[in-house]
Amino acid sequence: MEGYYSYSREIVPYKKEINRLKKESLICSLSKSNYIGMMWIMYADEGKGCCLEVEVGGNTSWERVEIGYKAEIPKITDSTDINIESIFKYKSSVWDYEQEVRYIKESPRKYKFPVVIKKIYLGYAYKASSNEYKLYRTLFKDKLGIDVEIIDKSKIDFGFMK
């Protein structure tokens, strides 16, 4: 559903350009929170995966786009809307829990996305006494200086009133 839109008749001559932009653009999708229950369930194998806390480099050619969520399909009505931000800045409101921020780059050349991994959160399915956790601590904390933590399940928002 990335880049899903409707368009007016005036946009028909620009469809090729829109499709080119969609095909050639790169997207890095991030979330503002590491405590979203649906994200741990859908994207991290129900707490068996991990979440990376990153810091995006300040000197980047990637465009930061705060995602907007809409109940209706975004419509391109004017040729000035034919740019990667307009095409990729909206998602359906059913995804609003993701709190998404995207970094977008139009050119596939120089695709490096400048991030520094600040912390690794292992899912709530991990145990501090497990060999896996100990291995990750050795690899990331001891050798690379990246803190590793098992996320506290009680802090995760699963949608229930607290």
Side-chain angles (χ1 to χ4, degrees), residues 6-42:
S6 65
Y7 54 92
S8 62
R9 275 187 240 170
E10 294 79 26
I11 299 304
V12 172
Y14 302 100
K15 284 275 295 170
K16 231 180 218 184
E17 174 64 9
I18 293 169
N19 289 335
R20 184 194 66 76
L21 280 171
K22 285 178 67 173
K23 182 179 178 183
E24 293 182 5
S25 295
L26 303 172
I27 300 173
C28 179
S29 296
L30 305 171
S31 178
K32 295 177 187 177
S33 175
N34 57 343
Y35 292 100
I36 302 169
M38 287 296 292
M39 300 286 271
W40 281 101
I41 290 167
M42 290 175 50

Side-chain angles (χ1 to χ4, degrees), residues 26-92:
L26 303 172
I27 300 173
C28 179
S29 296
L30 305 171
S31 178
K32 295 177 187 177
S33 175
N34 57 343
Y35 292 100
I36 302 169
M38 287 296 292
M39 300 286 271
W40 281 101
I41 290 167
M42 290 175 50
Y43 301 116
D45 196 18
E46 295 188 30
K48 297 177 197 130
C50 71
C51 170
L52 304 178
E53 180 181 318
V54 298
E55 183 179 294
V56 179
N59 186 14
T60 179
S61 60
W62 290 68
E63 185 174 354
R64 184 179 200 272
V65 178
E66 294 272 339
I67 296 304
Y69 300 94
K70 293 184 166 193
E72 65 280 343
I73 297 171
K75 186 168 188 170
I76 296 177
T77 58
D78 187 293
S79 63
T80 60
D81 291 336
I82 300 173
N83 58 66
I84 57 174
E85 183 178 340
S86 293
I87 294 169
F88 289 118
K89 76 177 178 181
Y90 293 108
K91 288 177 81 169
S92 167

